[in-house]
Every structure is written in structure tokens, then in C-alpha cells.
Amino acid sequence: MSTPVSSLAERRERQRAHDRARDEHHARRSDLLRPQRDTSELQVIAADASTRFAEASTDEVLAWVAEEFGYRTAVACSMADAVLPHVVARHLPWVDTLFLETGYHFAETIGTRDAVEAGMELTIVDVTPAQSVEEQDAAQGPRLYERDPGLCCQLRKVEPLHRTLQDYEVWITGVRREESPTRADTPLVSWDAKNGLVKVNPLAAWTFDELLDYAEQHGVIVNPLVQDGYPSIGCAPCTRRVAPGEDPRAGRWAGLDKTECGLHT
């Protein structure tokens, strides 16, 4: 059955309105950016906030982020879903949303990224490694992720993110305490000494069911792989389906002595 012409026209007009709003925001983005503060001042802010917001709600901590940091804020999103940037954008429309383009993603993850960029009030920033996959293969040998997954993550995730974060004062992640034992004590606000800025985890207390409920309630895009047995989605070569009852991150680097890529350790 063909799509009615009126529906196509409405969708196109919504897309044009979305793109106009994005362009208007970016035309005045430089006027919205505050002078960047040094790490000593940010460290004091993080120490105070870690206590003040220890038991805060998601909206309380994000309202503070918007007031304290404005558009010196970056959101990290793996594109397993777009719940985190959606929640943040309610306080900071068109917030920079960092996507680590490792070169190894599932096609579904790239499709989710593109749909998020086209339909949400976010600014997608592709964070890319210094080398393409082909260049890395030439320098390190093929399938580095099999031989040294720690180095592969360092080159394709950790180092590129570190470089990108230098333009911000705070980064927001979707780390949740229930995901794994290594994340059980995740605070809402902390100081990220490795990257030299404040780190906020506003969904730390959320369960996976609460995340999916929010997505359904608000019509937020979710990667189709989530419903296909992938509650945690990373690079395709290093991610498998999770069996019922398994740890949500059991499919990441399965069979290897590795549970984190290094971004949050």
C-alpha cells in the first residue's frame, strides 16, 4: 500500500522544521558558550555536587547541570537507545551527543544513530579514532580486538573520547548500577580525573525495565538489537546475545578477561 501524499508532505515539513531549529540553535551556539573553567575550579564543583546530589532525582541533577555548565555539556550515547540524550535534551535542547564511531558497529546501531540525529533535538558529534580500521590493521595487524581487546578499545574509544572531552566541563553517561557488579556503586556526580572534568550519571539508579518504560512512554528510539537479546551493545565483533538470567553485560567481550572498555574505569 502506498503512503498518502499528505503524510509524506507532513513528514517532510516536520523534518524541515527540525533542521531549521537545529540550524538556528547552532547559529547562536557561540553566544551560549561560557568561558571554560580550569580543572581546579571544576574539581571543587564536583566535590560539592557529589554530596549535594547524592540522593537527587534525575531531573534535579540535570536541572543543575543545565544551570551550572550550559552547553559546555556533552552526553555520551552508545545508541543502544536514546533515552539518556532525550532526558538531557529536556533541559538542554540540541545538547552535544557524542557517538564513538569505532568502525566496528552493528548496522542497526548506525541506523539508530541516524534516526536519532534526524528526529531528536540533539547535536550528534561523531567521535572518530586517529586511524581508520584499515590503517589500524596495517599498523597493528588485523583483528586487534581478538588479540588485544584492551588496546583496541584504547585506540578506538578511550583516546578519541579523551581528546573530544577537552572542549567540555561535564560529560553525562548512561551508566546504571544494576548493569554489573563493577558499576554497583556508581555515583550521580563525581570527578573524572582521567579526563579532567565533571562526570554525571543521571540514570545510575534506573533499572533496565524503567529505561524501556520511559522509551515507550515518550516514543524514544531504541536500537532493534535490544529486543533481539542485546541489552548492552558495543562493537559487533565483541558483542553477543545475552541468555535469559545472565548479567546484562555478559555479552560484552564474552570469553575474555575483560568487562569494561576503559571509558568508565
Side-chain angles (χ1 to χ4, degrees), residues 81-137:
D81 60 78
V83 169
L84 176 65
H86 185 275
V87 171
V88 179
R90 292 164 63 179
H91 298 270
L92 280 171
W94 305 108
V95 65
D96 284 1
T97 302
L98 311 185
F99 175 63
L100 296 178
E101 177 47 288
T102 64
Y104 286 119
H105 285 298
F106 291 97
E108 291 87 345
T109 300
I110 299 300
T112 300
R113 175 231 174 272
D114 293 346
V116 167
E117 182 174 45
M120 295 178 63
E121 288 189 328
L122 304 171
T123 301
I124 301 296
V125 177
D126 288 323
V127 178
T128 57
Q131 294 180 317
S132 67
V133 170
E134 293 75 15
E135 290 169 338
Q136 179 175 292
D137 286 350

Side-chain angles (χ1 to χ4, degrees), residues 11-246:
R11 287 211 304 270
R12 286 168 180 159
E13 180 50 40
R14 284 197 298 271
Q15 189 64 55
R16 283 193 290 266
H18 171 275
D19 294 346
R20 283 195 302 269
R22 178 197 60 211
D23 294 343
E24 288 168 3
H25 170 80
H26 284 282
R28 59 191 183 91
R29 173 64 79 94
S30 60
D31 296 331
L32 299 174
L33 283 178
R34 303 167 188 173
Q36 193 166 2
R37 293 168 286 192
D38 63 31
T39 55
S40 59
E41 185 173 357
L42 293 175
Q43 196 165 2
V44 171
I45 292 170
D48 173 71
S50 65
T51 301
R52 183 152 50 107
F53 295 102
E55 303 297 329
S57 69
T58 296
D59 279 330
E60 285 171 338
V61 73
L62 290 177
W64 168 74
V65 167
E67 175 65 26
E68 183 67 49
F69 304 102
Y71 286 95
R72 290 287 180 189
T73 300
V75 181
C77 185
S78 67
M79 297 300 166
D81 60 78
V83 169
L84 176 65
H86 185 275
V87 171
V88 179
R90 292 164 63 179
H91 298 270
L92 280 171
W94 305 108
V95 65
D96 284 1
T97 302
L98 311 185
F99 175 63
L100 296 178
E101 177 47 288
T102 64
Y104 286 119
H105 285 298
F106 291 97
E108 291 87 345
T109 300
I110 299 300
T112 300
R113 175 231 174 272
D114 293 346
V116 167
E117 182 174 45
M120 295 178 63
E121 288 189 328
L122 304 171
T123 301
I124 301 296
V125 177
D126 288 323
V127 178
T128 57
Q131 294 180 317
S132 67
V133 170
E134 293 75 15
E135 290 169 338
Q136 179 175 292
D137 286 350
Q140 303 286 344
R143 298 185 297 280
L144 180 63
Y145 51 81
E146 292 181 350
R147 295 178 287 103
D148 193 340
L151 178 58
C152 191
C153 286
Q154 180 70 23
L155 295 174
R156 309 205 72 75
K157 292 184 176 183
V158 178
E159 291 180 4
L161 181 69
H162 177 78
R163 289 195 300 270
T164 303
L165 287 177
Q166 302 316 299
D167 292 330
Y168 301 94
E169 294 185 337
V170 60
W171 71 301
I172 302 177
T173 88
V175 172
R176 293 181 295 106
R177 294 167 187 154
E178 75 157 14
E179 291 180 300
S180 68
T182 60
R183 299 183 172 191
D185 297 322
T186 297
L188 286 176
V189 182
S190 63
W191 173 247
D192 181 354
K194 181 167 64 176
N195 290 302
L197 77 172
V198 183
K199 184 178 182 182
V200 175
N201 308 294
L203 308 186
W206 287 34
T207 65
F208 185 58
D209 287 342
E210 287 173 329
L211 189 104
L212 294 182
D213 286 346
Y214 181 97
E216 182 176 2
Q217 180 182 351
H218 295 277
V220 177
I221 297 166
V222 175
N223 191 319
L225 290 173
V226 171
Q227 298 300 333
D228 192 27
Y230 294 85
S232 180
I233 303 169
C235 294
C238 302
T239 308
R240 66 159 173 80
R241 288 181 178 85
V242 172
E246 275 192 304

